[in-house]
């Protein structure tokens, strides 16, 4: 009876390892497809968040796979790894990196067109990169679109602007830099 129990555990570990390998292969396929999609169309928030989530899943399934063959503190590794990845997502200025990546690719000629409409979805973290492109471009239509994205206040309704006083708790470095840039336009 003891031998059959050990054999069942080995079979279960083998099945779990096989499922992990197949899942890792699917994640790798999805990541390569996302990479091709990003290389053709550029970055957006949704593409960044989806890629981030696939990396988290990859980490978790690799930990489960390794734990089938070695005794490791998998829960701790998963928790610390997930926290580090989450902090990178939160503090990484995702919107600024999206704008920077798309603008650099557009200027290098590897991105066919620049989707200025998508820039409206980005936060103030993207404004410095948009302003650099605004200064560099000579195309009047592109300058007008970039100005509208950088300084959307004239295009907003009066009801959407805040009427309350902003205090020190409302301070945001990205907004501060964006407001300095907006004052120069």
């Amino acid at each position: 009876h003891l031998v059959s129990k050990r054999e069942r555990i080995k079979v279960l570990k083998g099945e779990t390892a096989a499922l992990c390998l197949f899942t890792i292969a699917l994640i790798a396929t999805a990541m390569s497809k996302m990479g091709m999609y990003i290389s053709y169309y550029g970055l957006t928030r949704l593409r960044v968040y989806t890629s981030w989530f696939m990396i988290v899943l990859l980490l978790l399934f690799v930990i489960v796979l390794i734990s089938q063959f070695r005794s490791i503190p998998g829960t701790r590794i998963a928790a610390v790894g997930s926290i580090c990845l989450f902090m990178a997502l939160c503090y990484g200025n995702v919107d600024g990196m999206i704008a920077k990546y798309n603008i650099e690719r557009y200027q290098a000629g590897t991105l066919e067109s620049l989707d200025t409409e998508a820039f409206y979805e980005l936060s103030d973290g993207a404004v410095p990169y948009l302003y650099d492109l605004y200064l560099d471009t000579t195309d009047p239509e592109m300058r007008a679109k970039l100005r509208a994205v950088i300084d959307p206040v004239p295009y907003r309704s009066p009801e959407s602007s805040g009427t309350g006083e902003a205090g020190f708790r409302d301070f945001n470095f990205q907004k501060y830099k964006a407001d300095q840039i907006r004052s120069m336009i």
Side-chain angles (χ1 to χ4, degrees):
H1 191 267
L2 183 62
V3 174
S4 65
K5 193 173 191 178
R6 283 185 184 164
E7 297 224 358
R8 279 189 265 158
I9 290 173
K10 284 183 181 180
V11 169
L12 183 61
K13 283 187 175 195
E15 290 173 346
T16 303
L19 284 173
C20 286
L21 285 173
F22 287 131
T23 305
I24 289 169
L26 285 172
I27 293 169
T29 302
M31 289 174 77
S32 70
K33 286 181 179 183
M34 181 60 75
M36 289 187 325
Y37 196 67
I38 289 169
S39 70
Y40 189 77
Y41 294 110
L43 279 176
T44 63
R45 275 188 186 164
L46 185 58
R47 292 176 197 145
V48 170
Y49 295 156
T50 302
S51 299
W52 175 85
F53 186 69
M54 286 189 283
I55 291 169
V56 171
L57 284 177
L58 181 64
L59 170 73
L60 296 177
F61 277 98
V62 166
I63 291 169
V64 171
L65 179 64
I66 292 171
S67 71
Q68 297 307 307
F69 303 106
R70 292 194 178 163
S71 179
I72 61 168
T75 305
R76 281 190 197 149
I77 295 170
V80 169
S82 298
I83 289 169
C84 290
L85 288 169
F86 184 70
M87 288 180 67
L89 183 69
C90 289
Y91 294 109
N93 187 14
V94 172
D95 290 345
M97 294 300 114
I98 290 170
K100 180 181 178 185
Y101 177 83
N102 289 342
I103 290 168
E104 285 177 353
R105 293 261 328 271
Y106 176 71
Q107 289 175 329
T110 58
L111 194 59
E112 193 174 310
S113 64
L114 192 61
D115 187 7
T116 54
E117 295 298 317
F119 289 144
Y120 282 104
E121 297 174 8
L122 302 179
S123 69
D124 289 332
V127 170
Y129 304 104
L130 298 173
Y131 183 66
D132 289 343
L133 180 61
Y134 175 81
L135 294 176
D136 289 346
T137 189
T138 57
D139 180 15
E141 184 179 337
M142 176 69 77
R143 281 181 71 92
K145 287 180 181 179
L146 288 170
R147 183 183 174 106
V149 173
I150 293 169
D151 191 17
V153 175
Y155 306 98
R156 279 193 224 151
S157 65
E159 296 84 32
S160 66
S161 62
T163 56
E165 272 300 306
F168 74 93
R169 289 185 206 111
D170 299 320
F171 179 78
N172 179 315
F173 185 69
Q174 292 175 345
K175 183 172 178 4
Y176 174 75
K177 282 179 69 175
D179 286 343
Q180 285 182 327
I181 290 170
R182 287 180 184 118
S183 69
M184 293 188 286
I185 291 185

